Amino acid sequence: MLIKPGAKLFAIFLVLFFVKEILKNYNNKAIIFLYGSFFLVLIQCGLLKKQYGDFTISYIDSVTYYNYLGSKAVCLSQGKKLNQLDNPRMDYIFSISNTETKKIAFDDLINQISNNKFYLFYAYLSDVYDNSTAGNTALDYTININNTGYFKFSKIFFFTISKFQNMFFTIIGFFLSISMFFSSYKKEPYFSLISFFVLYTIFLSGISCSQGDRFHLPILSFVLILIAKKIFDKTKHSFEPLQK
């Protein structure tokens, strides 16, 4: 949560999901790690309160919405294409104080929901699609220092791999997560939580655009777990003896 504030909603969901276990084990030695996590968040909020006057985790989420999703929705309504190098909204949001950014971003969101909901929703879906099908933008910054002849080919090759990897794991992860979230939450809630995290990450990426695959990279290992679980269940079912 301290590094990526968008995770705060997922963290709140986890606390609510396990609230019975937390209360049951409130004096267990291992619970100190959970208390430590709460303490870290409170320290972050306290320091921001002292420095900026607001008791909050971060200001990044508001700025991200205003600069990307909000800006894209406005551009679409005007028949324009969003260009972050020439974005008056970005210049404006960075010209005001940190404490004002949350209010400005929230007011803008309410206004767009009321008066520009179609393009806001269209921009959101466009962002999710973009972040689900893009390659790794970090490769754009690689430099051919040794002037090797295969550099350009390697760059295109690895970018293509990252693009198809992103699409494959996002699509597989999306459908597997929907299926396993409902089928596992009673018997094996661990896999339901993984499914929720995968879906949460995919849907949350819609707040920003033109980010390559970086939003979806964290879910790749979890999708592999879901794939392994699905294969294991199918294999186990195939070898189970017939009931008489």
Side-chain angles (χ1 to χ4, degrees):
M1 287 174 64
L2 301 182
I3 297 171
K4 196 172 182 63
K8 62 188 175 187
L9 296 177
F10 182 66
I12 292 171
F13 170 80
L14 286 179
V15 171
L16 294 176
F17 189 88
F18 287 110
V19 66
K20 289 184 178 180
E21 293 296 323
I22 293 172
L23 294 175
K24 188 190 301 182
N25 297 279
Y26 75 95
N27 61 346
N28 192 298
K29 290 182 179 180
I31 206 74
I32 191 173
F33 293 104
L34 181 63
Y35 295 154
S37 299
F38 290 148
F39 185 61
L40 286 174
V41 174
L42 288 175
I43 288 178
Q44 171 78 353
C45 293
L47 290 174
L48 286 175
K49 171 68 175 177
K50 181 179 179 181
Q51 187 171 356
Y52 299 107
D54 285 344
F55 194 75
T56 184
I57 293 174
S58 174
Y59 299 103
I60 297 173
D61 45 0
S62 300
V63 173
T64 301
Y65 155 75
Y66 193 85
N67 282 346
Y68 292 94
L69 179 58
S71 294
K72 191 171 186 178
V74 171
C75 287
L76 287 172
S77 67
Q78 297 173 350
K80 300 178 182 178
K81 185 177 180 180
L82 175 63
N83 180 8
Q84 286 295 1
L85 297 178
D86 183 23
N87 184 3
R89 284 170 57 97
M90 183 173 68
D91 296 334
Y92 169 68
I93 200 73
F94 283 129
S95 69
I96 61 178
S97 67
N98 287 292
T99 53
E100 292 178 296
T101 56
K102 279 188 173 294
K103 183 180 184 306
I104 296 297
F106 181 75
D107 290 344
D108 181 81
L109 177 61
I110 297 301
N111 178 58
Q112 295 218 46
I113 291 174
S114 301
N115 305 304
N116 194 33
K117 59 174 66 71
F118 173 80
Y119 287 106
L120 182 66
F121 185 63
Y122 182 80
Y124 171 78
L125 292 179
S126 174
D127 288 351
V128 173
Y129 174 81
D130 181 46
N131 293 322
S132 301
T133 58
N136 195 303
T137 55
L139 292 168
D140 293 335
Y141 300 98
T142 55
I143 302 172
N144 191 2
I145 297 176
N146 297 324
N147 294 317
T148 51
Y150 55 84
F151 176 81
K152 186 176 181 180
F153 169 79
S154 299
K155 190 172 181 177
I156 295 173
F157 177 73
F158 286 115
F159 180 81
T160 303
I161 287 179
S162 69
K163 185 174 182 177
F164 282 98
Q165 170 185 267
N166 188 18
M167 288 190 289
F168 174 78
F169 281 104
T170 299
I171 293 172
I172 296 296
F174 177 78
F175 288 106
L176 265 182
S177 295
I178 290 178
S179 170
M180 298 186 72
F181 178 79
F182 292 103
S183 63
S184 303
Y185 76 97
K186 287 186 176 180
K187 295 181 179 180
E188 299 173 301
Y190 173 70
F191 294 101
S192 287
L193 289 175
I194 291 179
S195 300
F196 182 83
F197 172 71
V198 171
L199 293 172
Y200 176 82
T201 304
I202 292 173
F203 288 127
L204 188 67
S205 71
I207 198 174
S208 189
C209 58
S210 304
Q211 299 297 311
D213 63 350
R214 77 180 188 89
F215 275 113
H216 292 189
L217 283 175
I219 71 172
L220 299 190
S221 57
F222 293 98
V223 175
L224 285 173
I225 292 175
L226 295 181
I227 292 173
K229 171 62 176 172
K230 195 71 174 179
I231 294 173
F232 174 79
D233 287 345
K234 279 187 172 293
T235 305
K236 182 180 178 182
H237 180 73
S238 299
F239 284 95
E240 283 182 348
L242 295 175
Q243 298 293 327
K244 295 183 179 180

